[in-house]
Amino acid sequence: MAYFVGLTTSPTLAVVDTAAQDGLIGLGALERLKMQLSEQGLQAAWTNKQARAHGVGGAAKVIGIAAIPLGIGGVSGILETTVVEGEVPFFFQFAC
């Protein structure tokens, strides 16, 4: 018997990953998020910074770093997020 365990998220939501060092999003998820942001008059912007992405599954091909507007608990801010190839949901590290 085969099992599949996965995760589906809305383009406007992110997954809090307490083990993450930085934010991470796949290019496909970023494009969907950008469409949702534009409906609110917001946009993500590419930075000129360099990044690497490596996790349990190994290294990922990095496209670049995007500055993404977000809000948590009524507080607005911008998160610089590493963008990688593939279908990766929006993950970010959150520490209190």
Side-chain angles (χ1 to χ4, degrees):
M1 179 178 283
Y3 293 96
F4 172 76
V5 178
L7 178 68
T8 302
T9 63
S10 165
T12 58
L13 299 178
V15 177
V16 175
D17 183 352
T18 57
Q21 292 180 353
D22 296 302
L24 182 74
I25 190 169
L27 185 58
L30 176 62
E31 292 303 320
R32 290 187 294 277
L33 176 60
K34 285 169 58 176
M35 288 189 299
Q36 297 291 318
L37 289 170
S38 69
E39 292 178 9
Q40 303 300 316
L42 300 170
Q43 63 183 8
W46 291 100
T47 72
N48 58 358
K49 296 180 180 179
Q50 302 291 316
R52 292 182 309 172
H54 191 283
V56 174
K61 182 171 181 196
V62 174
I63 306 295
I65 296 179
I68 301 174
L70 74 136
I72 301 172
V75 178
S76 298
I78 296 176
L79 177 69
E80 288 187 342
T81 304
T82 302
V83 182
V84 296
E85 281 188 342
E87 284 298 326
V88 178
F90 188 10
F91 287 95
F92 73 96
Q93 191 269 347
F94 183 76
C96 296

